């Protein structure tokens, strides 16, 4: 365990050192390091793992987005998967019915999800806790039902043959090619999440999370920031949805956006640690891999996932991210104490 | 223990893992991947039937001396899970043939995966006609396509029941397809527009409002297109609403599934539907099959999803016997092509299906919808010990519905 903490400690130090040179340097380096992953996975294992890497990148985008509203701003939402569906269906429809390029359809899908984010966020102005969870759950499920019963949105057959993105003659029609797109999207999503967290907006989100009354007293427009958190989170979900829709084989169905997907997403951020960006990323990776490795034990999967969630809440309420944070804080404290005692002696 | 030793052990374990994976991929078995809906009691039985039949082939010596190695995965009737299963089975298990899926909404995207990877895909239960209309050279369908079922149903309804029909359509791909195709056939064959149409959720529980509206519309018949449990609830509520038995209840193809009469009880009596197999079939092969299913799975009158699972394994067995397989890694693509061509050469297979099943080489629905014979079945008794009768058996023209 200490070895794992130590690795995270070293990674954290290296990132800080690189960021001191230029704030984008760690991100560019990480992107460059992850670029050959499909070739490595293909050589060591097989192409299935490239598909899995694509899914992980999409889930990272989703969980990082959910963390903004849930982790940073403290708003309980269970309707995130509905926004993911809106992004997916909007982008797919625009591509299929108007024949527009992915590069136009994708941002429109993100915007559609952002607008829907306002609708999902509106109850947060008056509701809190379990009531807000119920309201967002209802909205999320309504989206799925609407897709299921509307022929234009694919209804029961789903939307077929959604075109893959292209740049000139280069088509993102294989999982290897698509990986470069989802990796870039995930990296940008993580970077923006950190930027938001460190900005005045991020601090306002955290103030709302800690105490809405105290935040309001200190001049934070609580309603505005609650809605903003929902909208930003929805933009992430819309982006993830658009990427999911255009990923080969280019097919979406309302069954891809059920409450089970929402619970899986929640497990990712609970395991990773609510409010920790890295935690959400780690959660997305771990849950996707565990889910994949237990595919053949399908009768026990819901039990396994349910039990994991309960055990984490009891024994690791702050998730993996919280444990790492605690370790790093303890390490810094010990170092500062040692420094003080050295200076005194 | 020194760091060197730790690293050495880790490297050794990784080596064993990689070698194990490589060895498993290099065995001379014929690898069969299966992705099906294993979430309902019946779904599990269909999957189990495929596995049991494969085991029996192995027990009797395999195919030309080679054993079948089957991997069954659950797609929960979800397209993303089905796609993940297919990619995993094709790339990781390196299967020679893929069987799946139960649900049309899962089979549809998998067709693109198998076409791209060059893996023969044989479909056990999905009826949506778009599956073979995609034009993949790698897909074969054992069940009767939805386009044929609709033609048979519409002909019988228009000639024997009436033209004023109400439709209750659930939001799953197969039911929606059955519903749309039936409406279209009623229009083209009899010039009849629907008297009432309502779309309901896949797992809807309350149909009373719709039933009251249908009752006041004074229809000749009600088509209920839904998965088994949903259909059973709708049938029961149609009687609770006071719609008389003289208004005939028409089921979609899933009416053949045993939960319909079991759950609906007396409300199932008189319901008729088009299916690929009738448990009331008097042929010796059907009698033996019924006994076998009762003994193995405790089901009194097996529905067509059992018979289709059985027929699929038999057709696969014939094709594999006729294919010249090398069964090594270098020839995987060639073996897959040989199996595809061997399935395309299956002609006039006479099994449990109500008519012969034939495939051919062209990547068209005419060649890949191998089963064109639908049988019209009616329930004469509901409940656990339900009984059926055969109303008609119709082989449709090859181009019908295209």
């Amino acid at each position: 365990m200490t070895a794992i903490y130590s690795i995270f400690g070293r990674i954290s130090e290296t990132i800080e050192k690189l960021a001191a040179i230029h704030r984008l340097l760690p991100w560019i380096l990480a992107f460059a390091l992850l670029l050959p992953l499909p070739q490595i996975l293909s050589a060591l294992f097989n192409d299935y793992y490239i598909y899995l890497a694509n899914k992980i990148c999409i889930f990272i985008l989703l969980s990082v987005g959910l963390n903004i509203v849930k982790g940073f701003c403290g708003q309980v939402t269970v309707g995130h998967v509905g926004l993911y569906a809106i992004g997916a269906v909007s982008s797919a429809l625009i591509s299929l019915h108007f024949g527009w390029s992915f590069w136009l359809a994708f941002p429109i899908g993100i915007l559609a999800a952002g607008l829907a984010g306002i609708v999902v966020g509106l109850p947060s102005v008056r509701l809190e806790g379990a009531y807000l969870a119920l309201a967002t759950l209802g909205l999320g499920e309504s989206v799925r039902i609407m897709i299921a019963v509307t022929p234009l949105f694919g209804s029961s057959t789903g939307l077929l043959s959604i075109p893959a993105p292209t740049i000139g003659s280069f088509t993102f029609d294989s999982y290897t090619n698509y990986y470069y797109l989802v990796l870039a999207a995930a990296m940008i999503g993580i970077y923006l999440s950190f930027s938001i967290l460190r900005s005045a907006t991020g601090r306002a989100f955290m103030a709302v999370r800690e105490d809405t009354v105290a935040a309001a007293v200190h001049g934070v427009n609580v309603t505005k920031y609650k809605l903003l958190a929902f909208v930003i989170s929805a933009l992430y979900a819309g982006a993830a949805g658009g990427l999911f829709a255009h990923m080969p084989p280019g097919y979406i169905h309302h069954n891809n956006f059920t409450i089970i997907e929402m619970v899986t997403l929640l497990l990712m951020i609970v395991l990773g640690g609510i409010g920790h960006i890295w935690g959400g990323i780690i959660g997305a990776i771990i849950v996707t891999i565990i889910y994949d490795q237990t595919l053949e034990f399908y009768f026990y999967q819901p039990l396994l996932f349910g039990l994991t969630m309960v055990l984490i809440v009891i024994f690791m309420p702050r998730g993996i991210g919280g444990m790492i944070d605690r370790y790093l804080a303890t390490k810094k404290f010990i170092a500062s104490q040692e420094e003080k005692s050295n200076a005194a002696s | 223990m020194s760091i060197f030793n730790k690293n050495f052990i880790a490297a050794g374990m990784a080596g064993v893992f990689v070698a194990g994976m490589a060895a498993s991929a290099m065995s001379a078995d014929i690898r069969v991947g299966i992705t099906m809906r294993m979430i309902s009691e019946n779904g599990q039985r269909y999957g189990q039937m495929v596995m049991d039949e494969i085991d029996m082939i192995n027990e009797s010596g395999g195919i030309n001396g080679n054993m079948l190695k089957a991997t069954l995965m659950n797609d929960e009737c979800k397209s993303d899970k089905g796609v993940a299963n297919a990619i995993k089975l094709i790339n990781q298990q390196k299967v020679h043939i893929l069987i799946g899926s139960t649900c049309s909404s899962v089979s549809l995207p998998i067709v693109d995966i198998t076409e791209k990877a060059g893996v023969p895909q044989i479909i056990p239960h999905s009826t949506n006609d778009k599956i073979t209309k995609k034009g993949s050279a790698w897909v074969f369908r054992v069940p009767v396509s939805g386009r044929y079922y609709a033609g048979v149903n519409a002909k019988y309804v228009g000639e024997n029941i009436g033209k004023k029909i109400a439709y209750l359509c659930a939001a799953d791909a197969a039911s929606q397809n059955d519903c749309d195709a039936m409406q279209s056939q009623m229009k083209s064959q009899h010039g009849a527009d629907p008297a009432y149409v309502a779309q309901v959720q896949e797992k809807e529980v309350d149909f009373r409002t719709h039933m009251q509206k249908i009752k006041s519309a004074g229809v000749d018949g009600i088509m209920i297109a839904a998965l088994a449990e949903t259909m059973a609830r709708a049938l029961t509520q149609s009687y609770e609403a006071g719609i008389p038995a003289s208004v005939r209840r028409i089921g979609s193809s899933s009416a053949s599934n045993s939960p319909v009469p079991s759950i609906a009880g007396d409300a199932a009596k008189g319901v008729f539907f088009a299916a690929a197999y009738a448990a009331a079939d008097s042929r010796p092969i059907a009698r033996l099959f019924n006994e076998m299913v009762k003994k193995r799975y405790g089901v009194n009158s097996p529905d067509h999803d059992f018979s289709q699972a059985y027929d699929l394994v038999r057709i696969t067995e014939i094709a594999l016997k006729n294919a010249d397989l090398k069964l090594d890694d270098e020839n995987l693509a060639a073996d897959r092509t040989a199996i595809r061509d061997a399935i395309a050469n299956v002609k006039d297979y006479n099994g449990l299906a109500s008519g012969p099943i034939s495939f051919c080489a062209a990547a068209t629905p005419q060649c890949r919808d191998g089963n064109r014979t639908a049988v019209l079945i009616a329930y004469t008794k509901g409940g656990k010990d339900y009984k059926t009768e055969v109303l008609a058996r119709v082989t449709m023209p090859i181009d019908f519905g295209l």
Side-chain angles (χ1 to χ4, degrees):
Chain A
M1 205 63 182
T2 318
I4 295 169
Y5 284 145
S6 167
I7 290 167
F8 277 108
R10 280 183 195 173
I11 290 171
S12 175
E13 281 166 19
T14 313
I15 290 171
E16 277 172 24
K17 280 177 193 167
L18 289 170
I21 302 168
H22 191 285
R23 65 193 168 93
L24 285 177
L25 191 58
W27 301 97
I28 293 165
L29 273 177
F31 186 72
L33 279 172
L34 287 168
L35 268 182
L37 188 67
Q39 286 71 29
I40 296 167
L41 290 173
S42 185
L44 281 179
F45 304 103
N46 54 63
D47 287 359
Y48 172 70
Y49 289 93
I50 306 170
Y51 164 78
L52 212 58
N54 284 345
K55 277 191 86 173
I56 287 173
C57 287
I58 291 173
F59 281 134
I60 285 174
L61 210 50
L62 262 177
S63 65
V64 166
L66 183 58
N67 228 340
I68 290 173
V69 67
K70 202 169 171 60
F72 296 179
C73 200
Q75 301 305 296
V76 185
T77 172
V78 201
H80 205 61
V81 83
L83 302 167
Y84 174 53
I86 288 171
V89 172
S90 308
S91 185
L93 275 180
I94 289 163
S95 284
L96 287 170
H97 291 281
F98 300 113
W100 290 5
S101 146
F102 165 84
W103 305 107
L104 278 173
F106 178 62
I108 294 173
I110 296 175
L111 279 177
L115 287 173
I118 299 174
V119 179
V120 178
L122 279 174
S124 71
V125 177
R126 299 184 69 86
L127 301 174
E128 278 187 354
Y131 299 102
L132 180 58
L134 272 177
T136 52
L137 172 69
L139 283 165
E141 190 61 5
S142 305
V143 170
R144 192 193 66 76
I145 292 170
M146 199 169 145
I147 296 168
V149 296
T150 313
L152 177 71
F153 300 153
S155 185
S156 52
T157 309
L159 292 172
L160 300 162
S161 308
I162 303 163
T166 52
I167 299 176
S169 59
F170 184 84
T171 309
F172 295 90
D173 58 351
S174 69
Y175 291 115
T176 302
N177 290 356
Y178 209 78
Y179 169 78
Y180 303 123
L181 187 64
V182 287
L183 174 69
M187 295 291 281
I188 293 168
I190 299 166
Y191 172 74
L192 290 177
S193 184
F194 272 109
S195 301
I196 293 164
L197 183 65
R198 287 166 187 160
S199 68
T201 306
R203 287 191 291 277
F205 283 163
M206 286 184 278
V208 172
R209 178 187 68 191
E210 295 306 322
D211 193 327
T212 47
V213 177
V217 167
H218 283 83
V220 175
N221 185 337
V222 174
T223 305
K224 178 187 147 189
Y225 281 104
K226 275 184 178 178
L227 276 178
L228 187 61
F230 271 101
V231 171
I232 295 172
S233 173
L235 295 174
Y236 273 82
L243 289 168
F244 174 66
H246 291 269
M247 186 166 81
Y251 180 83
I252 51 170
H253 187 266
H254 67 87
N255 270 349
N256 301 140
F257 313 109
T258 64
I259 190 70
I260 301 290
E261 275 68 33
M262 187 65 225
V263 172
T264 310
L265 185 58
L266 281 176
L267 180 61
M268 286 173 190
I269 64 161
V270 170
L271 175 70
I274 295 170
H276 296 86
I277 299 171
W278 287 118
I281 298 160
I282 294 163
I285 296 169
I286 292 177
V287 171
T288 310
I289 291 172
I290 291 177
Y291 188 87
D292 174 71
Q293 292 302 310
T294 55
L295 270 179
E296 284 170 45
F297 308 101
Y298 39 79
F299 291 125
Y300 307 103
Q301 249 185 357
L303 184 70
L304 175 79
F305 274 46
L307 271 178
T308 310
M309 184 103 89
V310 171
L311 290 173
I312 290 167
V313 170
I314 294 171
F315 297 107
M316 276 167 55
R318 295 179 64 207
I320 296 169
M323 287 172 70
I324 295 167
D325 268 3
R326 208 168 117 188
Y327 168 76
L328 294 177
T330 313
K331 204 181 157 193
K332 269 185 189 169
F333 176 75
I334 293 168
S336 67
Q337 290 303 311
E338 278 174 356
E339 225 171 77
K340 274 183 196 170
S341 63
N342 285 344
S345 63
Chain B
M1 192 181 281
S2 70
I3 289 171
F4 172 78
N5 283 347
K6 274 184 189 169
N7 288 342
F8 186 76
I9 289 169
M13 283 171 73
V16 169
F17 177 69
V18 171
M21 285 185 68
S24 70
M26 286 172 68
S27 65
D29 296 325
I30 301 170
R31 294 181 293 275
V32 181
I34 308 157
T35 175
M36 288 172 77
R37 176 180 180 253
M38 300 286 290
I39 46 172
S40 67
E41 201 177 336
N42 259 27
Q44 288 164 26
R45 285 174 180 150
Y46 305 142
Q48 194 55 49
M49 166 161 267
V50 174
M51 293 300 276
D52 290 345
E53 289 304 316
I54 287 174
D55 285 346
M56 290 188 75
I57 293 172
N58 285 337
E59 280 166 24
S60 58
I63 307 270
N64 302 330
N66 299 302
M67 294 295 123
L68 295 179
K69 187 182 172 193
T71 309
L72 172 62
M73 298 182 83
N74 179 20
D75 57 41
E76 299 172 29
C77 204
K78 287 187 170 181
S79 59
D80 56 337
K81 293 192 167 60
V83 165
N85 288 352
I87 297 171
K88 191 168 195 170
L89 290 164
I90 291 168
N91 291 292
Q92 194 163 304
Q93 306 287 334
K94 301 200 183 304
V95 296
H96 291 94
I97 180 170
L98 186 82
I99 295 171
S101 168
T102 313
C103 302
S104 295
S105 58
V106 181
S107 296
L108 276 163
I110 294 179
V111 171
D112 296 328
I113 304 284
T114 51
E115 186 184 23
K116 207 167 186 178
V119 177
Q121 178 188 357
I122 186 158
I123 290 180
H125 300 131
S126 311
T127 57
N128 192 304
D129 50 14
K130 286 183 181 141
I131 290 168
T132 45
K133 282 180 180 170
K134 280 188 155 189
S136 166
W138 297 87
V139 70
F140 300 88
R141 190 200 322 252
V142 171
V144 178
S145 170
R147 64 191 168 102
Y148 295 136
Y149 280 140
V152 174
N153 260 337
K155 186 170 165 40
Y156 184 83
V157 169
E159 289 173 3
N160 299 284
I161 291 166
K163 291 166 189 167
K164 206 172 173 188
I165 305 299
Y167 298 86
L168 215 55
C169 318
D172 62 276
S175 304
Q176 196 62 52
N177 187 58
D178 286 352
C179 221
D180 292 345
M182 176 72 174
Q183 287 173 45
S184 150
Q185 284 301 318
M186 284 299 289
K187 180 78 182 167
S188 64
Q189 288 187 34
H190 310 291
D193 285 315
Y196 179 85
V197 185
Q199 201 171 32
V200 297
Q201 281 297 296
E202 246 179 281
K203 292 174 183 170
E204 184 68 65
V205 290
D206 190 354
F207 305 92
R208 281 169 288 202
T209 313
H210 295 303
M211 291 305 174
Q212 288 302 334
K213 286 180 182 169
I214 291 168
K215 186 183 171 188
S216 58
V219 295
D220 300 318
I222 312 167
M223 179 173 192
I224 301 170
L227 297 178
E229 289 81 0
T230 311
M231 188 184 294
R233 281 193 289 271
L235 286 169
T236 311
Q237 288 176 28
S238 73
Y239 282 98
E240 285 170 2
I243 300 172
S246 58
V247 175
R248 292 297 297 271
R249 274 73 167 170
I250 310 148
S252 57
S253 58
S254 52
S256 119
N257 298 147
S258 59
V260 173
S262 302
I263 298 170
D266 289 341
K269 192 179 169 186
V271 174
F272 72 91
F273 53 93
Y277 172 75
D281 195 326
S282 57
R283 288 176 299 161
I285 185 176
R287 301 290 98 213
L288 286 169
F289 179 73
N290 291 353
E291 277 172 35
M292 182 263 280
V293 173
K294 189 175 180 181
K295 198 174 158 190
R296 269 201 215 160
Y297 311 107
V299 174
N300 278 331
S301 304
D303 57 40
H304 70 170
D305 284 341
F306 276 111
S307 72
Q308 286 165 168
Y310 180 88
D311 278 341
L312 178 139
V313 179
R314 296 283 82 81
I315 288 169
T316 306
E317 186 182 11
I318 294 167
L320 291 174
K321 272 182 182 162
N322 293 333
D324 180 20
L325 303 177
K326 303 285 182 284
L327 299 178
D328 52 35
D329 275 2
E330 289 73 37
N331 288 292
L332 181 61
D335 284 349
R336 286 168 170 173
T337 307
I339 294 169
R340 179 197 67 181
D341 296 343
I343 302 173
N345 277 326
V346 171
K347 309 281 180 217
D348 295 326
Y349 160 80
N350 278 297
L352 294 163
S354 298
I357 297 177
S358 298
F359 296 111
C360 48
T364 58
Q366 290 94 327
C367 267
R368 301 312 173 93
D369 289 336
N371 188 356
R372 292 186 287 121
T373 307
V375 56
L376 266 176
I377 302 164
Y379 285 112
T380 52
K381 187 187 169 205
K384 295 265 179 216
D385 303 318
Y386 60 90
K387 297 261 187 304
T388 57
E389 65 173 351
V390 175
L391 300 176
R393 189 172 271 113
V394 187
T395 300
M396 301 300 287
I398 200 162
D399 292 326
F400 188 84
L402 291 176

